[in-house]
Amino acid sequence: MTPPLKYRLRCVQGGEEVPEQYTTTCPGGHASLLRTEYAKTRLSVRKLPGIFRFCDWLPIHRILPIEAGPVCFRSQPLSRELGLPHLYLDFNGYWPERKGTITTCSFKELEALPTVIRMQEQRPATLVIASAGNTGRAFLQTSALTGIPVIVVVPERSLARLWTTAPADNACVITVKGDYTDAIRFSREISSLPQFLEEGGAKNVARRDGMGTVMLDGATTIGRMPDYYFQAIGSGTGGIAAWEAAMRLMGDGRFGTRLPELHLSQNLPFVPMVSAWNAGRRTFIPETDMPDAKEAIAQVYSDVLTNREPPYSIVGGVFDAMTASKGRMYAVSNEEAQEAGDLFLECEGIDLDPAAAVCLASLDKACESGAIDRKKTVLLNLTGGGYTRVREDHELIPVRASFTVPAGASIDAIRKELLEKVSSHA
Ligand SMILES: *Cc1c(COP(=O)(O)O)cnc(C)c1O
């Protein structure tokens, strides 16, 4: 007899079960996210490192001895400063004094780890990831620690952001002379070859369930789900993930019966989701929601929040998550974000990623405007930080590009050399 499946994949729109082969799109053609459905409806928190504590609700079977995971704690100085007695912080970065173990300093590592394991279990191939920085660094670090080969495609000017704390000998970095969109295009060129597999982004359930561990960590630390979940978003994948994790926690029965409200923020002047959501629209009107996109993107403090094609409209995406949770969105200026980052450094002695500073600034705005009830419980997802602190303990190893291609290049430009390089890894 075959053992019962740990999880199934289901199309959110059609409700039909979908075969799991690292599947990221609905084979029936629905424009919908797929979602995992776990056999275990009660969560057991395991005595395992990092995110593997929550392996019941990760779409993987294997556990690795890697410590990266979220940490949830309280900050008296910050609680006092904001007048929030029930404020919980979930820190995703490097901060050993608080057990913050993410050496590449952002919650992208929570996504990278289950993604590479899922790929190996369901469809062994070489994963191809397009990134503007944090995602690429997280996948390179994961490759360095596991030996699993990956290809990371970045715009040329993002190369300086790629480093690891262990040698990433099985990783291949390709720089594109262009912007993030050009990097995405070239990554699709590579994925057209049979040996390679497009990572999938928000459509990849391993990424979302990996990020969802922040909500699980928060709820199991607090003893119930928070009333409000705050996060800065670029794609909004973390917001979707928090909603999905909260639905699972509702099904568990021990963590409350109400969905936490999602309070999501973007960085002015590039705030397409804030604009569309506040207008009550599921679809973007580019001229209204992202006018002069290139110029606006160049001006923000946190460029990880500048995705031009976020999974906002798709069934099961950001709009649905916001609607279900009766959420709110905030537009935060550079100055407000920098002030929030300074305040955090003053209160806690650790530097925040600019995106996490945007998030903290949004909480301040929510308090000031009366958008939240200060007596209720807040979970603040600090999605990155500790860049200064990590340098004290680790040598940061820069990553070199194996190939550089012009924007708009076809795979033929490097096909032969790339295949030779990758086969020497395997
Ligand atoms: C990617 C990233 C975000 C945005 O996350 P999404 O949920 O994917 O929009 C926020 N903060 C940091 C530090 C990030 O790297």
Side-chain angles (χ1 to χ4, degrees):
M1 231 178 75
T2 48
L5 287 177
K6 177 179 176 181
Y7 68 95
R8 295 167 193 282
L9 288 184
R10 210 170 277 288
C11 170
V12 176
Q13 186 173 351
E16 75 276 23
E17 191 180 335
V18 167
E20 162 67 313
Q21 295 161 333
Y22 194 95
T23 314
T24 55
T25 52
C26 173
H30 290 121
S32 167
L33 294 182
L34 305 179
R35 198 180 280 159
T36 43
E37 197 173 278
Y38 292 96
K40 279 198 68 172
T41 53
R42 259 174 95 89
L43 176 70
S44 318
V45 182
R46 310 299 178 95
K47 286 198 174 57
L48 289 169
I51 58 167
F52 298 108
R53 275 178 288 157
F54 306 110
C55 64
D56 281 356
W57 289 353
L58 291 173
I60 55 174
H61 300 91
R62 204 153 56 95
I63 303 300
L64 296 177
I66 294 176
E67 288 194 353
V71 278
C72 185
F73 54 86
R74 311 185 71 175
S75 160
Q76 296 306 337
L78 203 62
S79 272
R80 219 174 300 128
E81 185 69 36
L82 296 167
L84 292 169
H86 306 291
L87 171 63
Y88 290 80
L89 310 179
D90 208 288
F91 185 82
N92 293 287
Y94 189 74
W95 193 0
E97 291 73 18
R98 292 280 199 181
K99 298 193 164 54
T101 48
I102 302 179
T103 49
T104 60
C105 300
S106 92
F107 78 156
K108 296 294 194 297
E109 264 189 57
L110 312 185
E111 307 177 66
L113 208 42
T115 293
V116 297
I117 299 173
R118 179 182 180 222
M119 175 276 291
Q120 281 209 320
E121 291 179 347
Q122 303 301 337
R123 202 198 290 193
T126 300
L127 270 183
V128 184
I129 300 108
S131 166
N134 289 358
T135 302
R137 203 165 60 244
F139 274 92
L140 290 169
Q141 178 76 6
T142 303
S143 173
L145 297 183
T146 60
I148 297 171
V150 296
I151 297 180
V152 172
V153 187
V154 293
E156 201 168 35
R157 65 173 139 66
S158 295
L159 188 63
R161 289 195 190 168
L162 299 185
W163 43 261
T164 54
T165 61
D169 295 330
N170 289 345
C172 171
V173 171
I174 299 170
T175 54
V176 178
K177 290 181 192 292
D179 63 13
Y180 179 48
T181 306
D182 299 312
I184 292 174
R185 289 199 183 120
F186 194 70
S187 77
R188 295 207 178 116
E189 283 283 307
I190 300 172
S191 310
S192 68
L193 300 176
Q195 300 80 340
F196 302 108
L197 184 59
E198 204 174 350
E199 176 275 321
K203 294 181 172 156
N204 171 7
V205 292
R207 255 181 105 150
R208 302 207 307 278
D209 292 357
M211 279 179 149
T213 61
V214 174
M215 178 61 79
L216 305 182
D217 187 40
T220 52
T221 304
I222 300 166
R224 65 176 189 86
M225 283 185 276
D227 298 301
Y228 310 117
Y229 170 87
F230 276 77
Q231 194 204 302
I233 57 165
S235 71
T237 310
I240 303 167
W243 170 47
E244 292 174 330
M247 287 194 281
R248 284 185 192 118
L249 289 166
M250 281 172 61
D252 178 299
R254 293 170 296 167
F255 298 95
T257 53
R258 280 182 52 150
L259 285 176
E261 285 178 17
L262 298 182
H263 288 251
L264 308 180
S265 46
Q266 298 205 280
N267 191 181
L268 287 163
F270 189 77
V271 293
M273 285 188 272
V274 186
S275 170
W277 173 254
N278 286 343
R281 266 188 280 107
R282 175 188 276 276
T283 46
F284 288 125
I285 303 174
E287 310 85 73
T288 309
D289 300 326
M290 43 185 123
D292 308 314
K294 268 211 150 114
E295 215 171 291
I297 285 172
Q299 287 171 39
V300 299
Y301 176 49
S302 171
D303 62 1
V304 302
L305 304 181
T306 58
N307 192 315
R308 291 171 72 161
E309 289 168 8
Y312 174 77
S313 314
I314 192 168
V315 175
V318 177
F319 183 86
D320 286 341
M322 289 292 292
T323 304
S325 80
K326 305 189 173 62
R328 286 200 187 225
M329 290 222 194
Y330 304 82
V332 170
S333 72
N334 288 355
E335 198 187 349
E336 289 166 334
Q338 274 158 331
E339 274 174 19
D342 291 346
L343 171 69
F344 197 75
L345 186 62
E346 218 171 275
C347 289
E348 289 292 337
I350 196 91
D351 59 298
L352 290 182
D353 183 285
V358 166
C359 179
L360 179 56
S362 76
L363 177 59
D364 190 37
K365 281 174 111 71
C367 290
E368 292 299 316
S369 67
I372 62 168
D373 177 349
R374 283 189 149 112
K375 293 189 292 298
K376 292 194 168 176
T377 303
V378 176
L379 181 64
L380 184 69
N381 185 350
L382 296 171
T383 46
Y387 295 94
T388 307
R389 184 65 188 80
V390 75
R391 287 186 158 76
E392 295 171 18
D393 293 354
H394 292 277
E395 185 200 345
L396 306 189
I397 306 167
V399 177
R400 264 182 269 285
S402 299
F403 303 98
T404 298
V405 299
S410 104
I411 185 61
D412 296 326
I414 59 163
R415 181 202 304 259
K416 185 162 165 285
E417 296 83 349
L418 180 66
L419 290 174
E420 274 167 15
K421 181 164 172 66
V422 172
S423 69
S424 75
H425 283 165

Coordinates of all heavy atoms in Angstrom, one line a residue, residues 6 38 43-71 90-93 99-102 106-118 138-139 142 145-146 205-217 220:
K6 N 1.9 13.4 1.9 CA 2.1 14.5 2.9 C 1.3 15.7 2.5 O 0.8 16.4 3.4 CB 3.6 14.8 3.0 CG 3.9 16.0 4.0 CD 5.4 16.3 4.1 CE 5.5 17.5 5.0 NZ 6.9 18.0 5.2
Y38 N -2.0 20.3 3.2 CA -1.2 19.3 3.9 C -2.2 18.3 4.6 O -3.2 18.7 5.2 CB -0.4 20.1 5.0 CG 0.7 20.8 4.3 CD1 0.6 22.2 4.0 CD2 1.9 20.2 3.9 CE1 1.5 22.9 3.4 CE2 2.9 20.9 3.2 CZ 2.7 22.3 2.9 OH 3.7 23.0 2.3
L43 N -0.5 21.5 13.5 CA 0.9 21.7 13.4 C 1.7 21.2 14.6 O 1.4 21.6 15.7 CB 1.1 23.2 13.2 CG 2.6 23.7 13.2 CD1 3.2 23.3 11.8 CD2 2.6 25.3 13.3
S44 N 2.7 20.4 14.4 CA 3.6 20.1 15.5 C 4.9 20.8 15.2 O 5.5 20.7 14.1 CB 4.0 18.6 15.5 OG 2.9 17.8 15.2
V45 N 5.4 21.6 16.1 CA 6.6 22.3 16.0 C 7.7 21.3 16.4 O 7.7 20.8 17.5 CB 6.7 23.6 16.8 CG1 8.0 24.3 16.6 CG2 5.5 24.5 16.5
R46 N 8.6 21.0 15.5 CA 9.7 20.0 15.7 C 10.9 20.6 16.3 O 11.2 21.8 16.1 CB 10.1 19.3 14.4 CG 8.9 18.8 13.5 CD 8.1 17.8 14.3 NE 7.0 17.3 13.5 CZ 7.0 16.3 12.7 NH1 8.1 15.5 12.6 NH2 6.0 15.9 12.0
K47 N 11.7 19.7 17.0 CA 13.0 20.2 17.5 C 14.0 20.0 16.3 O 14.8 19.1 16.3 CB 13.4 19.3 18.7 CG 12.6 19.6 19.9 CD 13.4 19.1 21.2 CE 12.6 19.5 22.4 NZ 11.2 19.1 22.5
L48 N 13.9 20.9 15.4 CA 14.8 20.9 14.2 C 15.2 22.3 14.0 O 14.6 23.3 14.4 CB 14.0 20.4 13.0 CG 13.6 18.9 13.0 CD1 12.6 18.6 11.9 CD2 14.9 18.0 12.8
P49 N 16.3 22.5 13.2 CA 16.9 23.8 13.0 C 16.0 24.7 12.1 O 15.3 24.1 11.2 CB 18.2 23.6 12.4 CG 18.1 22.2 11.7 CD 17.2 21.4 12.6
G50 N 16.0 26.0 12.3 CA 15.4 27.0 11.4 C 14.0 26.7 11.0 O 13.2 26.3 11.8
I51 N 13.8 26.8 9.7 CA 12.4 26.6 9.2 C 11.9 25.2 9.3 O 10.7 24.9 9.2 CB 12.3 27.0 7.7 CG1 13.2 26.3 6.8 CG2 12.5 28.5 7.5 CD1 12.9 26.4 5.3
F52 N 12.9 24.2 9.4 CA 12.5 22.8 9.5 C 11.7 22.5 10.7 O 11.0 21.4 10.8 CB 13.7 21.9 9.3 CG 14.4 22.1 8.0 CD1 15.6 22.8 7.9 CD2 13.8 21.8 6.8 CE1 16.2 23.0 6.7 CE2 14.4 22.0 5.6 CZ 15.6 22.6 5.5
R53 N 11.6 23.4 11.7 CA 10.7 23.3 12.8 C 9.3 23.1 12.3 O 8.4 22.6 13.0 CB 10.8 24.5 13.7 CG 11.9 24.6 14.7 CD 11.8 25.9 15.5 NE 12.3 27.0 14.6 CZ 12.0 28.3 14.7 NH1 11.2 28.6 15.7 NH2 12.5 29.2 13.9
F54 N 9.0 23.8 11.2 CA 7.7 23.8 10.7 C 7.5 22.9 9.4 O 6.7 23.1 8.6 CB 7.3 25.3 10.3 CG 7.5 26.2 11.4 CD1 8.5 27.2 11.4 CD2 6.7 26.2 12.5 CE1 8.7 28.1 12.4 CE2 6.9 27.1 13.6 CZ 7.9 28.0 13.6
C55 N 8.3 21.8 9.4 CA 8.3 21.0 8.2 C 7.0 20.3 7.9 O 6.8 19.9 6.8 CB 9.5 20.0 8.3 SG 9.3 18.8 9.6
D56 N 6.1 20.2 8.9 CA 4.8 19.6 8.6 C 4.1 20.4 7.5 O 3.3 19.8 6.7 CB 3.9 19.8 9.8 CG 4.1 18.7 10.9 OD1 5.0 17.8 10.6 OD2 3.5 18.8 12.0
W57 N 4.4 21.7 7.4 CA 3.7 22.6 6.5 C 4.7 23.1 5.5 O 4.6 24.3 5.1 CB 2.9 23.7 7.2 CG 1.7 23.1 7.9 CD1 1.2 21.8 7.8 CD2 0.8 23.8 8.8 NE1 0.1 21.7 8.6 CE2 -0.2 22.9 9.2 CE3 0.8 25.1 9.3 CZ2 -1.2 23.2 10.1 CZ3 -0.3 25.5 10.1 CH2 -1.2 24.5 10.6
L58 N 5.7 22.3 5.1 CA 6.5 22.7 4.0 C 6.4 21.6 2.9 O 6.4 20.4 3.3 CB 8.0 22.8 4.4 CG 8.3 24.0 5.3 CD1 9.7 23.9 5.9 CD2 8.1 25.3 4.6
P59 N 6.4 21.9 1.6 CA 6.2 20.8 0.6 C 7.5 20.1 0.3 O 7.9 20.0 -0.9 CB 5.7 21.7 -0.6 CG 6.4 23.0 -0.4 CD 6.5 23.2 1.0
I60 N 8.1 19.5 1.3 CA 9.4 18.8 1.2 C 9.4 17.6 2.1 O 8.6 17.6 3.1 CB 10.6 19.7 1.5 CG1 10.4 20.3 2.9 CG2 10.8 20.8 0.5 CD1 11.6 21.1 3.4
H61 N 10.2 16.6 1.8 CA 10.3 15.4 2.7 C 11.6 15.3 3.4 O 11.7 14.7 4.4 CB 10.1 14.2 1.8 CG 8.7 14.2 1.2 ND1 8.5 14.7 -0.1 CD2 7.5 13.8 1.6 CE1 7.2 14.6 -0.4 NE2 6.6 14.0 0.6
R62 N 12.6 16.0 2.9 CA 14.0 15.9 3.4 C 14.2 17.1 4.3 O 13.8 18.2 4.1 CB 15.0 15.9 2.3 CG 16.3 15.3 2.6 CD 16.9 14.7 1.4 NE 17.0 15.7 0.3 CZ 18.2 16.5 0.1 NH1 19.2 16.3 0.9 NH2 18.2 17.4 -0.8
I63 N 15.0 16.9 5.4 CA 15.4 18.0 6.3 C 16.9 18.2 6.1 O 17.6 17.2 6.0 CB 15.2 17.5 7.8 CG1 13.7 17.1 8.0 CG2 15.6 18.5 8.8 CD1 12.7 18.1 7.7
L64 N 17.3 19.4 6.2 CA 18.8 19.7 6.1 C 19.2 20.4 7.4 O 18.5 21.1 8.0 CB 19.1 20.6 4.9 CG 18.8 20.0 3.5 CD1 19.1 21.1 2.5 CD2 19.6 18.8 3.3
P65 N 20.5 20.1 7.8 CA 21.0 20.7 9.0 C 21.4 22.2 8.8 O 22.6 22.6 8.9 CB 22.2 19.9 9.3 CG 22.7 19.4 8.0 CD 21.5 19.3 7.1
I66 N 20.5 23.0 8.3 CA 20.7 24.4 8.1 C 19.8 25.3 9.0 O 18.6 25.0 9.1 CB 20.5 24.8 6.6 CG1 21.5 24.0 5.7 CG2 20.5 26.3 6.3 CD1 21.3 24.1 4.2
E67 N 20.4 26.3 9.6 CA 19.8 27.0 10.7 C 18.9 28.1 10.3 O 18.2 28.7 11.2 CB 20.8 27.5 11.7 CG 21.4 26.3 12.5 CD 22.2 26.8 13.7 OE1 22.4 28.1 13.8 OE2 22.6 26.0 14.5
A68 N 18.9 28.6 9.1 CA 18.2 29.8 8.7 C 16.7 29.7 9.0 O 16.1 28.7 8.6 CB 18.4 30.1 7.2
G69 N 16.2 30.6 9.8 CA 14.8 30.6 10.1 C 14.4 31.9 10.8 O 15.3 32.8 11.1
P70 N 13.1 32.2 10.9 CA 12.6 33.4 11.5 C 12.8 33.4 13.0 O 12.8 32.3 13.6 CB 11.2 33.4 11.1 CG 10.8 32.0 10.9 CD 12.0 31.3 10.5
V71 N 13.0 34.5 13.6 CA 13.0 34.6 15.1 C 12.0 35.7 15.6 O 11.9 36.8 15.0 CB 14.3 34.9 15.7 CG1 15.2 33.7 15.9 CG2 15.1 36.0 15.0
D90 N 9.2 39.9 14.2 CA 9.8 38.7 13.6 C 11.0 39.2 12.7 O 10.8 39.8 11.7 CB 8.7 37.9 12.8 CG 9.1 36.5 12.8 OD1 10.1 36.1 12.1 OD2 8.4 35.7 13.5
F91 N 12.1 38.8 13.2 CA 13.4 39.3 12.5 C 13.9 38.3 11.6 O 14.1 37.1 12.0 CB 14.4 39.7 13.6 CG 15.6 40.4 13.0 CD1 15.7 41.7 12.7 CD2 16.8 39.6 12.8 CE1 16.8 42.3 12.1 CE2 17.9 40.2 12.2 CZ 17.9 41.5 11.9
N92 N 14.2 38.7 10.4 CA 14.7 37.7 9.4 C 16.0 38.3 8.8 O 16.1 39.0 7.8 CB 13.7 37.5 8.2 CG 12.5 36.8 8.8 OD1 12.6 35.6 9.0 ND2 11.4 37.5 8.9
G93 N 17.1 38.0 9.5 CA 18.4 38.5 9.1 C 19.5 38.0 10.1 O 19.2 36.9 10.7
K99 N 19.4 35.2 18.2 CA 19.3 34.0 17.4 C 18.9 34.2 16.0 O 18.3 33.3 15.3 CB 18.3 33.0 18.1 CG 18.8 32.6 19.5 CD 18.0 31.4 20.1 CE 18.7 30.7 21.2 NZ 19.0 31.7 22.4
G100 N 19.2 35.3 15.4 CA 19.0 35.6 14.0 C 20.1 35.0 13.2 O 21.2 35.4 13.3
T101 N 19.7 33.9 12.4 CA 20.8 33.1 11.8 C 20.8 33.2 10.3 O 21.4 32.3 9.6 CB 20.5 31.6 12.2 OG1 19.1 31.4 11.9 CG2 20.8 31.3 13.6
I102 N 20.2 34.2 9.7 CA 20.2 34.3 8.2 C 21.4 35.1 7.8 O 21.3 36.3 7.9 CB 18.8 34.9 7.8 CG1 17.7 34.0 8.3 CG2 18.8 35.0 6.2 CD1 16.3 34.5 7.9
S106 N 18.3 38.4 4.6 CA 16.9 38.7 4.3 C 16.1 37.4 4.3 O 16.7 36.3 4.2 CB 16.8 39.3 2.9 OG 16.6 38.4 1.9
F107 N 14.8 37.6 4.3 CA 13.9 36.4 4.4 C 13.8 35.6 3.1 O 13.1 34.6 3.1 CB 12.5 36.7 5.0 CG 11.5 37.4 4.1 CD1 10.2 37.3 4.4 CD2 11.9 38.2 3.0 CE1 9.2 37.9 3.6 CE2 10.9 38.8 2.2 CZ 9.6 38.6 2.5
K108 N 14.5 36.0 2.1 CA 14.6 35.3 0.9 C 15.2 33.9 1.1 O 15.0 33.0 0.4 CB 15.4 36.0 -0.2 CG 14.8 37.3 -0.7 CD 13.5 37.1 -1.4 CE 13.0 38.4 -2.1 NZ 12.7 39.5 -1.3
E109 N 16.0 33.8 2.2 CA 16.6 32.4 2.5 C 15.5 31.4 2.9 O 15.6 30.2 2.7 CB 17.7 32.5 3.5 CG 19.1 32.6 3.0 CD 20.2 32.5 4.0 OE1 20.2 31.5 4.7 OE2 21.0 33.4 4.1
L110 N 14.4 32.0 3.5 CA 13.3 31.1 3.9 C 12.6 30.5 2.7 O 12.0 29.5 2.8 CB 12.3 31.8 4.8 CG 12.8 32.7 5.9 CD1 11.6 33.3 6.7 CD2 13.7 31.9 6.8
E111 N 12.8 31.2 1.6 CA 12.2 30.7 0.3 C 13.1 29.8 -0.4 O 12.7 28.8 -1.0 CB 11.8 31.9 -0.6 CG 11.0 33.0 0.0 CD 10.9 34.2 -0.9 OE1 10.2 34.0 -1.9 OE2 11.4 35.3 -0.7
A112 N 14.4 30.2 -0.4 CA 15.4 29.4 -1.3 C 15.5 28.0 -0.8 O 15.6 27.1 -1.6 CB 16.7 30.2 -1.2
L113 N 15.5 27.8 0.5 CA 15.8 26.5 1.1 C 14.8 25.5 0.7 O 15.1 24.4 0.1 CB 16.0 26.7 2.6 CG 16.8 25.7 3.4 CD1 18.1 25.4 2.7 CD2 17.1 26.4 4.8
P114 N 13.5 25.7 1.0 CA 12.5 24.7 0.6 C 12.4 24.6 -1.0 O 12.1 23.5 -1.5 CB 11.2 25.1 1.2 CG 11.4 26.5 1.6 CD 12.8 26.8 1.8
T115 N 12.7 25.6 -1.7 CA 12.6 25.6 -3.1 C 13.6 24.6 -3.7 O 13.3 23.8 -4.6 CB 12.8 27.0 -3.7 OG1 11.8 27.8 -3.4 CG2 12.9 26.9 -5.3
V116 N 14.9 24.7 -3.3 CA 15.9 23.7 -3.9 C 15.6 22.3 -3.5 O 15.8 21.4 -4.2 CB 17.3 24.1 -3.5 CG1 17.7 25.5 -4.1 CG2 17.6 24.1 -2.1
I117 N 15.1 22.1 -2.3 CA 14.7 20.7 -1.8 C 13.6 20.2 -2.6 O 13.6 19.1 -3.1 CB 14.4 20.7 -0.3 CG1 15.7 21.1 0.5 CG2 14.0 19.3 0.1 CD1 15.4 21.3 2.0
R118 N 12.5 21.0 -2.8 CA 11.3 20.6 -3.6 C 11.8 20.2 -5.0 O 11.3 19.2 -5.6 CB 10.3 21.7 -3.6 CG 9.1 21.4 -4.4 CD 8.0 22.5 -4.5 NE 6.9 22.1 -5.3 CZ 6.3 22.9 -6.2 NH1 6.7 24.1 -6.3 NH2 5.2 22.4 -6.8
A138 N 20.4 34.8 -1.6 CA 19.9 33.7 -0.8 C 20.0 32.4 -1.5 O 20.4 31.4 -0.9 CB 18.4 34.0 -0.5
F139 N 19.8 32.3 -2.8 CA 19.9 31.1 -3.6 C 21.4 30.7 -3.7 O 21.7 29.5 -3.6 CB 19.2 31.1 -4.9 CG 17.8 30.8 -4.9 CD1 16.8 31.8 -4.7 CD2 17.4 29.5 -5.0 CE1 15.5 31.5 -4.7 CE2 16.0 29.1 -5.0 CZ 15.1 30.1 -4.8
T142 N 22.3 29.2 -0.4 CA 21.7 27.8 -0.2 C 22.5 26.8 -1.1 O 22.7 25.7 -0.7 CB 20.2 27.9 -0.7 OG1 19.6 28.9 0.2 CG2 19.5 26.6 -0.5
L145 N 25.7 26.0 0.7 CA 25.5 25.1 1.9 C 25.1 23.7 1.5 O 25.4 22.7 2.3 CB 24.5 25.7 2.9 CG 24.9 27.0 3.5 CD1 23.9 27.5 4.5 CD2 26.3 27.0 4.2
T146 N 24.4 23.5 0.4 CA 23.8 22.2 0.0 C 24.6 21.6 -1.1 O 24.5 20.3 -1.3 CB 22.4 22.3 -0.4 OG1 22.3 23.2 -1.6 CG2 21.5 22.9 0.7
V205 N 5.0 27.1 -4.8 CA 4.4 26.9 -3.4 C 5.5 26.8 -2.4 O 5.3 27.1 -1.2 CB 3.4 25.7 -3.4 CG1 2.2 26.0 -4.2 CG2 4.1 24.4 -3.8
A206 N 6.7 26.3 -2.7 CA 7.7 26.1 -1.8 C 8.2 27.5 -1.3 O 8.5 27.7 -0.1 CB 8.9 25.3 -2.4
R207 N 8.2 28.4 -2.2 CA 8.6 29.8 -1.8 C 7.6 30.4 -0.8 O 8.0 30.9 0.2 CB 8.7 30.7 -3.1 CG 10.1 30.9 -3.4 CD 10.2 31.8 -4.6 NE 10.6 33.2 -4.3 CZ 11.3 34.0 -5.1 NH1 11.7 33.6 -6.2 NH2 11.6 35.2 -4.7
R208 N 6.3 30.2 -1.2 CA 5.3 30.8 -0.3 C 5.3 30.1 1.1 O 5.2 30.8 2.1 CB 4.0 30.8 -1.0 CG 3.9 31.6 -2.3 CD 2.6 32.1 -2.7 NE 1.5 31.1 -2.6 CZ 1.2 30.2 -3.6 NH1 1.9 30.2 -4.7 NH2 0.2 29.4 -3.4
D209 N 5.3 28.8 1.1 CA 5.2 28.1 2.3 C 6.5 28.4 3.2 O 6.4 28.4 4.4 CB 4.9 26.6 2.1 CG 3.5 26.4 1.6 OD1 2.8 27.4 1.4 OD2 3.2 25.3 1.3
G210 N 7.6 28.6 2.5 CA 8.8 28.9 3.3 C 8.7 30.3 3.9 O 9.0 30.5 5.1
M211 N 8.1 31.3 3.2 CA 7.9 32.6 3.8 C 6.8 32.5 4.8 O 6.8 33.3 5.8 CB 7.4 33.5 2.7 CG 8.5 34.1 1.9 SD 7.6 35.2 0.7 CE 8.8 36.4 0.4
G212 N 5.9 31.6 4.7 CA 4.7 31.5 5.6 C 5.2 31.1 7.0 O 4.5 31.2 8.0
T213 N 6.4 30.6 7.1 CA 6.9 30.2 8.4 C 7.0 31.4 9.4 O 7.1 31.2 10.6 CB 8.3 29.5 8.4 OG1 9.3 30.3 7.8 CG2 8.2 28.2 7.5
V214 N 7.1 32.6 8.8 CA 7.1 33.8 9.7 C 5.8 33.9 10.5 O 5.8 34.1 11.7 CB 7.3 35.1 8.8 CG1 7.2 36.3 9.7 CG2 8.7 35.0 8.1
M215 N 4.7 33.7 9.8 CA 3.4 33.7 10.5 C 3.3 32.5 11.5 O 2.8 32.7 12.6 CB 2.2 33.6 9.5 CG 0.8 33.5 10.1 SD 0.4 35.0 11.0 CE -0.1 36.2 9.8
L216 N 3.8 31.3 11.1 CA 3.8 30.2 12.0 C 4.6 30.5 13.2 O 4.3 30.1 14.4 CB 4.3 28.9 11.3 CG 3.6 28.5 10.0 CD1 4.2 27.2 9.4 CD2 2.1 28.4 10.2
D217 N 5.8 31.1 13.0 CA 6.7 31.4 14.1 C 6.0 32.4 15.0 O 6.1 32.3 16.3 CB 8.0 32.0 13.5 CG 9.1 32.2 14.5 OD1 9.2 31.4 15.4 OD2 9.8 33.3 14.5
T220 N 3.0 30.7 16.9 CA 3.4 29.7 18.0 C 4.1 30.4 19.1 O 4.1 29.9 20.2 CB 4.2 28.6 17.4 OG1 5.3 29.1 16.6 CG2 3.4 27.7 16.5

